[in-house]
Amino acid sequence: MTDTTTAPTGLPEKIRHYIDGEFVDSLDGEEFDVINPVTNDPYIRAASGKKADVDRAVASAKRAFAEGPWPTMLPRERARVLGRIADIVETREQTLAEMESFDSGLPITQALGQARRAAENFRFFADLIVAQIDEAYKVPGRQANYVNRKPIGVAGLITPWNTPFMLESWKLAPAIATGNTVVLKPAEFTPLSASLWPGIFEEAGLPQGVFNMVNGFGEEGFAGDSLVKHPEVPLISFTGESSTGQLIFANAAPWLKGLSMELGGKSPAVVFADADLDAAINATVFGVFSLNGERCTAGSRILVEESVYDEFVERYAAQAKRVKVGLPSDPTTEVAALVHPEHYEKVMSYIEIGKQEARLVAGGGRAEGFETGNFVQPTVFADVMPDARIFQEEIFGPVVAITPFKSDAEALELANNTRYGLAAYIWTSDLKRAHNFSQAVEAGMVWLNSNNVRDLRTPFGGVKASGLGHEGGYRSIDFYTEAQAVHINLGEVHNPVFGKQ
Ligand code: NAD
């Protein structure tokens, strides 16, 4: 099959920055090509931001913070704007999904789900700031104390290319809900859906300068790096690779910036012999192949108890072979095109490594029928040893490693045997084992007999190389606000007297 994809209607003529209420080009006029993952042909030009563009965007955000009204508006008033943003995202969900799917290669049905989740994020944080309870303490007759939750200033938001619109909403909603102003740096591979934010925000009545966006690359001297090193951006919320997170951590250190890091993963799905195997197979197939495998919480290492291992591998491989690879725009597609040829090459190179390290039981190459674009077969390796690279390293594509274990202790050792610690999935009918395993597994989030569903009130984040800090629910409010303690004297003033002769 060759390309039958067509650009969605309403494509902008170019991707520009958005600063102080206006779409603008880079000051030096530089641009780069954005690629359609189905053909790998460039389909649009995007402005490439540098330090000077970031300086302009930060100045705009700073002005909007200092002059208001956004930071001092009542939470209920800000919540109304957020509610309108959610409504607009919902009414445009089809367009948003088409753009996202076209730009990133995500299957259209899954892109639609992500657009809906983006609307939910705004609705959720609108509700949360209105319901916010502030802490207060008192020592009867002596003093009372309360905590002021204050917006911090200009938040720098740096996002990756997987589910870009939803991940941007995950940072934008709490950052602005709490009264900050922002500069967003979207991922360079997928800037299209982000170009819709300005129209959505303007229509919802977000004051000028509260939202600013600089497109382009992350490396030194470019937009991402310049945002991290800008002295007037006191906090950075970053989602991306662990190695990029380490670099940002070091680059932000001279200013002691507030950092939230949502990083890579190599999450285990542990299947015990007493599990409901049908449910476990369905969920673990979905867990690694949905979103093209480009999911931070993908259960990309499946650990299976020895007594059901052969059956599991056989049934899993058979189901993986039935996963439908197709064009992103086809509503029956389950796995579509990886985001970019560079990423395709990376995933394919891991498949070749896997063929040396383990037993290939499904897939293993370019998806049949697709001569162009970044289409990879859902690929399953069995008998993967813990020292294999495909066991240890994040592939971020439709590739899974299956490993047997003999005992609970070995399962735990294998589960914890990588540098990552984002998620873990546990399949067992033994409740005691499920809870004990959850306690011991090194993962920020655990799903028991469940696929990846998440209540927005719960903390989201990883341990070890998977992240720093948590967002989600009140954790996001904590991250995007300063907790200022105010102490009030209720009794006599007992000032110690110093230096009085
Ligand atoms: P990446 O680290 O290459 O890039 C992420 C963003 O950082 C991009 O916008 C990029 O331009 C920018 N960037 C790059 N270098 C920078 C620098 N020196 N300073 C500032 N910004 C810089 O990641 P990616 O390839 O876009 O995304 C995939 C990765 O993201 C995977 O590792 C995945 O697991 C991770 N991810 C994690 C979560 C999570 O919540 N834990 C969610 C989604 C994706």
Side-chain angles (χ1 to χ4, degrees):
M1 189 193 297
T2 45
D3 164 43
T4 56
T5 190
T6 45
T9 47
L11 219 58
E13 165 224 337
K14 197 201 278 184
I15 307 277
R16 295 190 159 89
H17 312 310
Y18 181 77
I19 298 175
D20 207 11
E22 279 190 64
F23 281 104
V24 293
D25 290 319
S26 286
L27 286 167
D28 64 6
E30 279 208 20
E31 296 175 353
F32 64 98
D33 281 330
V34 184
I35 281 171
N36 165 3
V38 168
T39 60
N40 285 332
D41 292 331
Y43 76 92
I44 201 166
R45 300 281 291 165
S48 171
K50 310 269 172 47
K51 182 176 178 304
D53 306 297
V54 169
D55 286 349
R56 276 175 86 188
V58 173
S60 156
K62 219 186 148 212
R63 203 162 40 247
F65 190 78
E67 295 172 9
W70 189 251
T72 52
M73 275 165 67
L74 293 176
R76 190 172 290 286
E77 291 169 345
R78 287 203 297 266
R80 255 185 230 125
V81 178
L82 266 79
R84 286 199 291 270
I85 294 169
D87 292 343
I88 299 167
V89 169
E90 271 166 7
T91 58
R92 293 189 195 160
E93 64 181 26
Q94 194 58 37
T95 312
L96 273 162
E98 282 168 16
M99 295 226 180
E100 191 82 309
S101 168
F102 180 76
D103 193 32
S104 69
L106 270 188
I108 183 71
T109 50
Q110 298 173 32
L112 194 58
Q114 296 298 317
R116 291 179 182 153
R117 186 68 165 185
E120 255 180 72
N121 281 336
F122 278 94
R123 231 179 268 300
F124 172 78
F125 283 106
D127 290 344
L128 200 64
I129 49 160
V130 172
Q132 166 87 30
I133 296 169
D134 291 322
E135 292 162 85
Y137 308 93
K138 63 185 176 199
V139 183
R142 287 224 185 148
Q143 58 166 307
N145 313 276
Y146 66 92
V147 178
N148 255 338
R149 284 266 158 209
K150 302 202 294 184
I152 296 175
V154 181
L157 312 178
I158 303 178
T159 48
W161 48 257
N162 66 315
T163 62
F165 190 78
M166 192 285 288
L167 282 176
E168 289 151 13
S169 75
W170 173 241
K171 297 184 188 306
L172 285 165
I176 63 174
T178 43
N180 299 286
T181 59
V182 303
V183 177
L184 169 70
K185 207 301 278 170
E188 58 272 33
F189 285 175
T190 53
L192 181 60
S193 52
S195 71
L196 299 176
W197 285 122
I200 294 167
F201 290 150
E202 281 176 19
E203 198 177 320
L206 188 73
Q208 184 175 326
V210 172
F211 169 78
N212 302 272
M213 174 169 72
V214 180
N215 279 292
F217 300 93
E219 290 77 7
E220 189 160 6
F222 289 89
D225 176 72
S226 307
L227 193 54
V228 169
K229 292 177 182 166
H230 199 296
E232 301 200 81
V233 176
L235 76 171
I236 298 285
S237 175
F238 170 76
T239 300
E241 285 187 10
S242 300
S243 55
T244 315
Q246 287 172 308
L247 190 59
I248 290 177
F249 193 89
N251 287 341
W255 294 274
L256 296 171
K257 296 191 180 203
L259 293 175
S260 167
M261 300 265 178
E262 298 187 347
L263 309 176
K266 188 78 184 178
S267 301
V270 185
V271 182
F272 289 95
D274 63 0
D276 172 345
L277 270 202
D278 291 341
I281 290 170
N282 276 331
T284 50
V285 167
F286 175 85
V288 77
F289 298 126
S290 56
L291 306 180
N292 298 337
E294 298 161 323
R295 181 200 276 279
C296 56
T297 50
S300 53
R301 290 183 297 139
I302 306 180
L303 313 176
V304 185
E305 193 162 1
E306 206 176 33
S307 58
V308 291
Y309 182 76
D310 290 340
E311 180 192 349
F312 184 94
V313 170
E314 194 185 324
R315 290 179 58 191
Y316 192 92
Q319 190 156 333
K321 286 178 190 163
R322 292 195 297 272
V323 168
K324 189 180 170 205
V325 180
L327 288 172
S329 56
D330 178 347
T332 65
T333 293
E334 292 171 321
V335 167
L338 298 185
V339 68
H340 194 276
E342 271 173 31
H343 188 57
Y344 172 84
E345 289 306 330
K346 175 185 154 184
V347 172
M348 289 302 253
S349 75
Y350 273 110
I351 290 178
E352 290 313 309
I353 292 167
K355 288 177 187 170
Q356 310 300 315
E357 291 181 328
R359 178 165 61 100
L360 178 69
V361 292
R366 166 175 277 283
E368 283 163 23
F370 293 91
E371 289 100 46
T372 63
N374 310 317
F375 295 90
V376 176
Q377 286 178 321
T379 295
V380 183
F381 288 103
D383 309 345
V384 181
M385 300 300 287
D387 58 353
R389 285 185 63 192
I390 60 165
F391 187 97
Q392 292 292 336
E393 298 174 23
E394 185 183 44
I395 301 174
F396 218 54
V399 182
V400 67
I402 310 184
T403 304
F405 67 84
K406 287 194 177 69
S407 63
D408 289 36
E410 192 190 4
L412 183 64
E413 195 188 316
L414 288 168
N416 290 342
N417 182 357
T418 73
R419 70 189 191 112
Y420 294 108
L422 191 57
Y425 305 83
I426 298 162
W427 291 89
T428 175
S429 55
D430 179 341
L431 265 184
K432 230 192 248 175
R433 165 192 274 161
H435 290 300
N436 289 335
F437 202 94
S438 310
Q439 284 283 318
V441 74
E442 293 166 357
M445 294 163 283
V446 178
W447 279 272
L448 301 180
N449 297 321
S450 167
N451 64 7
N452 185 331
V453 286
R454 207 174 79 76
D455 181 324
L456 289 174
R457 292 168 295 185
T458 58
F460 185 98
V463 298
K464 303 193 320 196
S466 289
L468 181 73
H470 287 90
E471 294 197 43
Y474 289 113
R475 274 79 176 180
S476 296
I477 305 284
D478 273 350
F479 176 69
Y480 289 105
T481 56
E482 200 67 71
Q484 179 194 54
V486 179
H487 305 272
I488 309 153
N489 183 18
L490 297 178
E492 282 177 42
V493 180
H494 293 292
N495 278 339
V497 177
F498 264 51
K500 200 171 174 190
Q501 294 301 318

